[in-house]
Amino acid sequence: MERTLSIIKPEAVARGLIGDILSRFEHAGLKVVAAKLTRLDKQRAESFYDVHRERPFFNSLTDYMSTGPIFVSVLEGDGAIARNREIMGATDPAKAAPGTIRKDWGTNVEENAAHGSDAPETAAAEIAFFFTADEIQSSGS
Ligand code: UDP
Ligand code: MG
């Protein structure tokens, strides 16, 4: 069993897409084992995306991610990290495969509806960024 962090980004929350997006994960066999609506201020957004600090889109991305509430969850399942990224689709919605979250609901390469961890180490760090151990349920319970 693997865990990954998912974020439904501000524009998708504002458009009322939390239920539709979660439903994609659940239908794909990923279990929601932790979840909350929260908000990043600019400084916490910068900290979350620290790996992208030198990228040209860093300032705009962290501004965007602090514009409104986000829905963060921990998804659990076999191969959850890769499966989540498959369901999300390519970073740029214009290049994402049909039937993916970003294809169906992403606005542009920045406002692309969802975030998903990209490797076991980043998943662990990103889960710990938002959740304490006792906020995460084991999927059997
Ligand atoms: N992003 C952007 N412009 C780009 C590439 C990425 O605004 O040219 C944003 C986008 O919101 C993306 C996030 O930065 O989801 C993190 O980029 P990454 O390359 O890690 O893509 P992801 O893992 O989210 O597919
Ligand atoms: Mg990434």
Side-chain angles (χ1 to χ4, degrees), residues 50-93:
D50 192 55
V51 62
H52 292 311
R53 200 167 279 274
E54 303 307 323
R55 307 286 287 277
F57 56 80
F58 180 72
N59 189 47
S60 175
L61 172 64
T62 53
D63 273 348
Y64 159 58
M65 287 300 289
S66 52
T67 53
I70 57 174
F71 186 87
V72 290
S73 62
V74 178
L75 305 177
E76 187 176 84
D78 288 329
I81 295 168
R83 195 179 302 189
N84 178 31
R85 291 188 65 90
E86 216 178 285
I87 298 163
M88 285 197 301
T91 306
D92 183 351

Side-chain angles (χ1 to χ4, degrees), residues 49 52 85 91 102 115-118 126:
Y49 280 113
H52 292 311
R85 291 188 65 90
T91 306
R102 283 164 164 175
H115 165 88
S117 311
D118 63 6
E126 291 179 358

Side-chain angles (χ1 to χ4, degrees), residues 81-141:
I81 295 168
R83 195 179 302 189
N84 178 31
R85 291 188 65 90
E86 216 178 285
I87 298 163
M88 285 197 301
T91 306
D92 183 351
K95 297 175 186 151
T100 60
I101 289 167
R102 283 164 164 175
K103 182 66 169 188
D104 289 347
W105 296 305
T107 303
N108 54 52
V109 69
E110 178 176 274
E111 303 187 1
N112 58 1
H115 165 88
S117 311
D118 63 6
E121 311 75 50
T122 48
E126 291 179 358
I127 289 168
F129 187 93
F130 286 105
F131 295 99
T132 59
D134 69 346
E135 289 174 320
I136 303 170
Q137 310 303 311
S138 92
S139 60
S141 61

Side-chain angles (χ1 to χ4, degrees), residues 14-31:
R15 291 168 62 204
L17 295 171
I18 293 172
D20 284 327
I21 292 175
L22 279 183
S23 164
R24 293 275 172 98
F25 299 141
E26 292 188 315
H27 281 119
L30 294 173
K31 266 204 145 55

Side-chain angles (χ1 to χ4, degrees), residues 29-46:
L30 294 173
K31 266 204 145 55
V32 178
V33 295
K36 65 184 160 196
L37 193 68
T38 185
R39 195 174 175 134
L40 292 172
D41 61 18
K42 174 78 170 170
Q43 196 183 0
R44 256 176 80 75
E46 288 175 352

